[in-house]
Amino acid sequence: MVNEGKSLSEALLSAKAEGRLTVGVYECAKIMNEDPDSVSFCLLATDDFECDIALQIHFTLIQAFCFDNDISIVRVNDLKRLNALVGGKGQLEDAHCVLITNPTEDSWEDPALEKLHLFCEESRSYNEWVPEITLPKR
């Protein structure tokens, strides 16, 4: 799990630097609706939503959409840490859902993202459809 967590952190930071991150449930749903082929990876943050039935419904729909469109998807168990990675300085984001879009055609593939895709594929072979990844501490 440590390697996957490190790969996820690297992929998030790389995508953030390249402007390939979409943060927030509604913003992610909009991207998925408008251009699902541009989405490479989806993260759902699990720590504060257990009591929020609306968020659970959104997550169920997002998961189904990802499955139908062959988008790799994982759960992250530390919303605060995820916010620190994807948000601006001193800014709190709605990081319950985060999308990483595909790199442009003239750029190199992200090796961290490739490792995550392989991890998801392997997890699915064990019938773990939405694996959970622990983000490393700073």
Side-chain angles (χ1 to χ4, degrees):
M1 283 292 228
V2 173
N3 291 337
E4 289 80 17
K6 185 176 184 233
S7 293
L8 181 56
S9 292
E10 290 170 4
L12 286 169
L13 293 174
S14 173
K16 182 179 177 181
E18 296 171 8
R20 297 185 296 115
L21 272 188
T22 302
V23 180
V25 173
Y26 296 107
E27 293 81 359
C28 290
K30 185 178 176 185
I31 293 291
M32 286 187 216
N33 184 48
E34 291 173 359
D35 190 9
D37 292 335
S38 72
V39 179
S40 179
F41 202 81
C42 180
L43 293 88
L44 299 176
T46 59
D47 49 85
D48 292 323
F49 83 95
E50 286 83 8
C51 297
D52 188 346
I53 191 68
L55 195 54
Q56 288 180 356
I57 291 168
H58 286 298
F59 277 17
T60 301
L61 293 172
I62 289 168
Q63 287 174 19
F65 186 88
C66 289
F67 295 152
D68 286 348
N69 289 279
D70 294 322
I71 299 169
S72 295
I73 182 170
V74 296
R75 287 187 183 265
V76 176
N77 61 358
D78 190 345
L79 183 61
K80 192 174 185 176
R81 176 74 179 116
L82 184 59
N83 268 325
L85 285 170
V86 301
K89 273 221 185 277
Q91 174 184 353
L92 207 59
E93 295 282 345
D94 166 24
H96 286 103
C97 184
V98 177
L99 296 180
I100 299 176
T101 54
N102 293 315
T104 59
E105 289 191 24
D106 59 339
S107 69
W108 295 97
E109 285 293 320
D110 185 345
L113 197 53
E114 288 303 312
K115 288 179 188 175
L116 291 170
H117 285 302
L118 289 173
F119 169 73
C120 287
E121 189 176 312
E122 183 179 312
S123 295
R124 284 190 297 272
S125 73
Y126 296 116
N127 289 328
E128 187 178 359
W129 297 100
V130 184
E132 187 168 308
I133 293 180
T134 301
L135 290 168
K137 301 294 180 208
R138 291 183 186 193

